[in-house]
Amino acid sequence: MRKALPNTMFNDPERSRLTMLRSWVLDNEVTEIEMNERQFWNFAHLQPIAEKPWATFMGRVIFVPDMPIEAQKRLGIFDSRNSAAI
């Protein structure tokens, strides 16, 4: 089930924690994670270098629909299933 991160999660870089995201994913049975661009970059900042390019978290695909398409493609997070995609 695709779920959007709550607006308050990962909006403040000082309060962002991967343990919060892990718990949210497991508690809500999330299979795909949708977040806004600010949340994505705060999340990316917390990821270890070996985990980059951040296309997934705990095996769940990450979607950032408000990020420019070209940036999504470069990061490997572009959702080609989007009905508007060609």
Side-chain angles (χ1 to χ4, degrees):
M1 164 184 359
R2 180 189 254 184
K3 288 196 89 159
L5 278 181
N7 289 333
T8 56
M9 191 180 288
F10 284 88
N11 272 341
D12 180 3
E14 298 301 316
R15 295 182 49 200
S16 297
R17 302 282 181 265
L18 290 179
T19 53
M20 287 184 350
L21 184 55
R22 282 186 197 106
S23 295
W24 179 80
V25 165
L26 295 172
D27 292 346
N28 292 286
E29 300 178 2
V30 175
T31 57
E32 298 177 342
I33 303 169
E34 183 176 316
M35 58 181 74
N36 65 40
E37 188 171 7
R38 179 180 304 275
Q39 289 171 316
F40 175 81
W41 289 116
N42 288 337
F43 161 74
H45 177 74
L46 297 172
Q47 289 286 85
I49 300 274
E51 296 295 321
K52 294 175 182 172
W54 325 290
T56 64
F57 180 74
M58 293 177 57
R60 278 71 169 181
V61 179
I62 295 174
F63 299 99
V64 188
D66 70 334
M67 182 182 282
I69 299 295
E70 287 304 313
Q72 290 182 46
K73 288 179 180 178
R74 285 187 186 265
L75 292 168
I77 59 172
F78 178 69
D79 182 9
S80 60
R81 298 176 301 171
N82 181 351
S83 60
I86 297 176

